[in-house]
Amino acid sequence: MNAEPRSNPFDGPLGRRYDSYIKRPRWAGPVGRLLWGGDPGPMYELMGAIGAAPTGTTILDAPCGGGLAFRELRPDQRVRYVAIDLSSGMLERARREADRRGLHQVELVQGDLQRLPFDDELADLTLSMNSLHCVLDPAGAVRELVRCTRRGAPLIGSMLVLGAGRRQDLALRHAERTGAAGPGGTTDDLRRWLVEAGLDDVRVDASGAIATFEARRPG
């Protein structure tokens, strides 16, 4: 979803294939077990924080992909929802998803996770789903996410990690060679990026190569 510099691979067939299964947990479960040796269920559970957000909350979804997390947003929920992605193809899918669900509070922005075009402390809740393995500088992307998160607010997300198994590592390295992924990292790397960005209450869990994380910016 954020794998530039060249033409973004998620604009084309790769993005369509990813979007077609990741929005459907019944499909994503078998795909997750087959490709990544893990259960994506905890990722979907993590996004429940969106539906629990109180009135007036600003939510930052970076990157939003084709609108994966929109499933947890209610049409009548009085929040500001800022969704950003680098891929024009994924943004168009996100636009269609928001329209289909009647989510008029969604604001779509095209931009780079590594250089977010927002002021400091924009969001009361920040999420970054399936993203950090796609960028060239994941540690820098984490710092950007933290910069845009208000003090005392949570940051949640998921990524594919190295070190879960030879087959999964080969798949991630192939994705890196084709421009669909960046250098990535292990669960230990992910934990270190979050801690070094100044976050507290850091929790990283993994099922196979599918990692989820929760942390909070100090108040």
Side-chain angles (χ1 to χ4, degrees):
M1 285 172 286
N2 283 73
E4 297 273 313
R6 299 162 298 191
S7 61
N8 195 306
F10 287 93
D11 287 343
L14 176 62
R16 289 194 295 272
R17 290 195 298 270
Y18 167 76
D19 197 54
S20 69
Y21 80 82
I22 199 65
K23 291 177 181 174
R24 299 171 173 86
R26 289 184 179 180
W27 294 10
V31 171
R33 289 187 289 273
L34 178 66
L35 290 182
W36 306 113
D39 176 15
M43 176 191 72
Y44 294 98
E45 294 172 7
L46 201 60
M47 292 185 285
I50 295 169
T55 296
T57 294
T58 296
I59 300 170
L60 173 61
D61 185 352
C64 64
L68 167 64
F70 296 0
R71 62 187 299 110
E72 297 295 339
L73 186 63
R74 302 185 306 276
D76 63 348
Q77 197 170 353
R78 296 173 63 188
V79 298
R80 181 187 181 195
Y81 194 103
V82 182
I84 182 170
D85 204 284
L86 189 57
S87 163
S88 58
M90 296 308 277
L91 278 175
E92 179 55 33
R93 295 178 189 104
R95 189 182 310 280
R96 293 197 297 267
E97 184 73 2
D99 289 346
R100 184 179 73 84
R101 293 180 175 274
L103 302 175
H104 304 295
Q105 66 272 64
V106 171
E107 304 171 24
L108 293 172
V109 179
Q110 185 166 19
D112 190 346
L113 174 60
Q114 299 165 108
R115 293 177 294 277
L116 292 170
F118 304 123
D119 291 337
D120 295 354
E121 299 192 50
L122 167 76
D124 303 292
L125 169 64
T126 299
L127 60 146
S128 188
M129 311 308 300
N130 295 339
S131 59
L132 295 175
H133 59 278
C134 292
V135 298
L136 296 176
D137 180 13
V142 171
R143 290 193 295 272
E144 275 292 271
L145 291 165
V146 173
R147 178 184 66 79
C148 293
T149 303
R150 289 184 180 153
R151 297 183 188 277
L155 168 63
I156 62 176
S158 62
M159 69 173 286
L160 296 173
V161 291
L162 295 163
R166 183 173 182 273
R167 180 165 54 87
Q168 289 77 27
D169 286 357
L170 286 172
L172 284 168
R173 289 311 182 205
H174 174 73
E176 183 182 8
R177 288 193 298 273
T178 62
T186 64
T187 53
D188 286 342
D189 291 324
L190 174 57
R191 187 177 292 104
R192 175 170 51 81
W193 301 334
L194 296 167
V195 170
E196 289 181 352
L199 294 170
D200 286 343
D201 303 326
V202 173
R203 177 176 176 177
V204 175
D205 297 301
S207 177
I210 306 170
T212 57
F213 60 89
E214 301 175 72
R216 185 171 297 275
R217 186 172 182 184

